[in-house]
Amino acid sequence: MKNKRKAIVTGITGQDGSYLAEFLLSQGYEVYGVMRRSSTQPFERIEHLIPRIHLVEADLLDQLSLIRILKTIKPREVYNLASQSFVPTSFTEPVLTGEVTALGVTRMLEAVRLVDPKIRFYQASSSEMYGLAPRSPQTLNTPFYPRSPYGIAKLYGHWMTVNYREGYKLFAVSGILFNHESPRRGIEFVTRKITDAVARIKLGLWDSVTLGNLHAKRDWGFAGDYVKAMWKMLQLKKPEDFIVATGESHSVEDFVKEAFLCAGLSWKKYVEIDPRFYRPAEVHTLCGDAAKARRILKWKPEVNFKGLVRLMVEADIERVSRQLRVS
Ligand code: NAP
Ligand code: G4F
């Protein structure tokens, strides 16, 4: 029997890790998901995958643990999705964010270089690196101007990936992904916070939701679409960086309106603003130009803005209703 291709996915318990694992399994991969030891099991997003994937313990803070898993698993591809990914936490825990989101990338690149430089490496870079961008849409030539410790940490990881590609000839690529969401998005991120609240308000559990800056604009796509671009990048003949985005930008207020509309509600009655949710430095507008991904990867988003909001609202109404039925 032909040997299956092996892939290691860090951040397997996160939103993207779960979608990427599903996609790699559908492509016939043997998937090794990296989880860190924690006192409670954070398997909510991958419970359904556990019989089909291998979970291995390692931590981006621990260099030797990364070397060990590469030596024992001998993967063809490594997808480095793990990070401290929440921007507000990066302001309150900037050093931890730097250790995981920035230096963690170097630890993984060093492990690849030392154990097997033929391993193909994907780095989960972010549109947050553009921050206060001078123009829109952002392209691969737009200068970076990160506005948070998270954005700065991601920029370091991005340049380390470029540097290991140029310096050591690794097949290392940086995917600059704009915001992507799903029913598996962490509840602290604004889209999921909104759709979860819409569900609770619709079902009579809450009577309001408190948000921060409604004027910020983001280029929101569907996570299930974006993980396919990650994989496509690692199948190319030569390693290159790409932007992955929809090319459409909407405000938080647009998202709120659309989400309440999906539930047949008018948003103004239910939304309160609290400056507690403002950031020390805001990223006002992000909009990505994914022309290169369309051309070379033959990638395009399948889910549009309204479709994304609807699928998230419906999933949250279904989930909260289920919880009510069992309680
Ligand atoms: P997420 O849901 O927050 O998942 C983050 C993952 O990182 C979790 O599995 C977490 O594990 C893991 N992790 C955190 N610290 C770790 C450590 N020290 N060692 C090993 N694993 C650790 O993030 P996501 O939305 O799936 O995003 C995936 C990646 O893409 C992240 O790097 C994020 O910064 C980046 N990104 C995301 C977006 C987006 O819009 N979603 C856009 C651009 C870039 P635990 O379960 O143990 O906490
Ligand atoms: O949903 P957010 O927290 O995502 P943010 O900061 O754009 O970061 C996400 O996308 C990045 C890609 O650009 C990723 F790299 C990163 O890991 C993460 O996945 O906030 C979006 C916007 C912000 O402008 C924020 O100020 O929503 C605004 N917002 C308004 N009210 C709020 C709230 N954000 C949150 N989290 N909570 C609020 O109540």
Side-chain angles (χ1 to χ4, degrees):
M1 203 175 77
K2 208 174 138 214
N3 275 347
K4 281 185 165 183
R5 281 172 295 176
K6 292 181 187 174
I8 291 182
V9 179
T10 72
I12 191 83
T13 55
Q15 170 188 257
D16 290 7
S18 67
Y19 282 108
L20 180 63
E22 278 170 10
F23 180 70
L24 292 173
L25 287 170
S26 77
Q27 299 298 306
Y29 279 74
E30 205 170 315
V31 177
Y32 291 79
V34 176
M35 48 160 281
R36 53 186 176 153
R37 196 264 155 189
S38 63
S39 47
T40 50
Q41 284 195 349
F43 293 160
E44 186 190 348
R45 299 184 180 100
I46 54 165
E47 203 115 52
H48 62 296
L49 296 175
I50 285 178
R52 301 169 62 206
I53 62 177
H54 307 270
L55 288 175
V56 290
E57 209 173 287
D59 197 307
L60 285 195
L61 298 176
D62 186 308
Q63 177 75 70
L64 289 181
S65 72
L66 303 177
I67 292 175
R68 176 179 48 77
I69 58 169
L70 294 193
K71 273 191 168 166
T72 52
I73 297 166
K74 301 186 174 49
R76 176 182 191 268
E77 294 162 20
V78 169
Y79 296 86
N80 187 37
L81 309 188
S83 82
Q84 189 306 93
S85 73
F86 191 45
V87 172
T89 298
S90 79
F91 285 105
T92 53
E93 298 177 25
V95 175
L96 175 80
T97 302
E99 282 289 349
V100 180
T101 305
L103 284 176
V105 184
T106 307
R107 293 190 191 100
M108 190 51 106
L109 284 164
E110 273 294 274
V112 168
R113 186 176 75 83
L114 291 170
V115 174
D116 177 6
K118 288 190 301 306
I119 292 172
R120 295 180 170 220
F121 175 84
Y122 173 85
Q123 169 56 18
S125 290
S126 165
S127 48
E128 277 291 302
M129 302 187 309
Y130 290 116
L132 208 61
R135 43 186 179 270
S136 216
Q138 290 81 53
T139 70
L140 287 162
N141 297 320
T142 304
F144 297 119
Y145 191 149
R147 294 270 281 172
S148 64
Y150 169 80
I152 293 162
K154 279 288 178 189
L155 191 50
Y156 171 89
H158 167 76
W159 281 120
M160 286 309 272
T161 304
V162 173
N163 188 256
Y164 273 59
R165 177 170 75 225
E166 294 175 352
Y168 301 115
K169 311 294 172 223
L170 295 192
F171 193 111
V173 306
S174 169
I176 305 178
L177 271 53
F178 282 61
N179 298 50
H180 44 280
E181 319 293 313
S182 74
R184 298 183 198 166
R185 182 58 138 154
I187 210 96
E188 66 277 32
F189 297 91
V190 77
T191 56
R192 189 70 202 297
K193 183 174 170 183
I194 295 165
T195 60
D196 175 64
V198 165
R200 288 171 193 279
I201 291 168
K202 177 76 181 168
L203 296 168
L205 297 175
W206 288 3
D207 52 19
S208 65
V209 56
T210 306
L211 299 169
N213 177 13
L214 296 190
H215 304 297
K217 289 177 139 186
R218 291 291 183 275
D219 178 334
W220 279 299
F222 172 54
D225 287 342
Y226 284 41
V227 298
K228 293 178 190 164
M230 298 175 185
W231 175 76
K232 281 170 176 268
M233 285 178 221
L234 291 198
Q235 311 315 311
L236 292 176
K237 284 219 169 69
K238 70 177 176 69
E240 288 182 61
D241 302 332
F242 288 88
I243 283 177
V244 181
T246 69
E248 259 186 47
S249 190
H250 296 270
S251 66
V252 174
E253 188 174 306
D254 293 338
F255 196 104
V256 169
K257 271 187 205 160
E258 191 60 33
F260 276 91
L261 199 65
C262 286
L265 301 169
S266 167
W267 71 281
K268 283 213 167 133
K269 263 170 71 181
Y270 304 104
V271 176
E272 288 165 12
I273 303 300
D274 188 336
R276 192 161 50 99
F277 294 110
Y278 293 170
R279 294 172 183 187
E282 177 63 283
V283 170
H284 303 293
T285 299
L286 289 174
C287 182
D289 177 350
K292 183 178 170 188
R294 286 176 190 264
R295 198 176 66 251
I296 297 179
L297 301 178
K298 311 286 177 228
W299 177 89
K300 65 176 169 49
E302 302 293 334
V303 180
N304 66 15
F305 177 69
K306 285 191 174 185
L308 173 68
V309 179
R310 177 163 294 282
L311 83 86
M312 291 178 71
V313 169
E314 286 178 353
D316 272 325
I317 291 178
E318 166 59 27
R319 181 183 55 87
V320 177
S321 306
R322 213 172 32 246
Q323 284 169 357
L324 281 175
R325 282 196 297 274
V326 295
S327 67

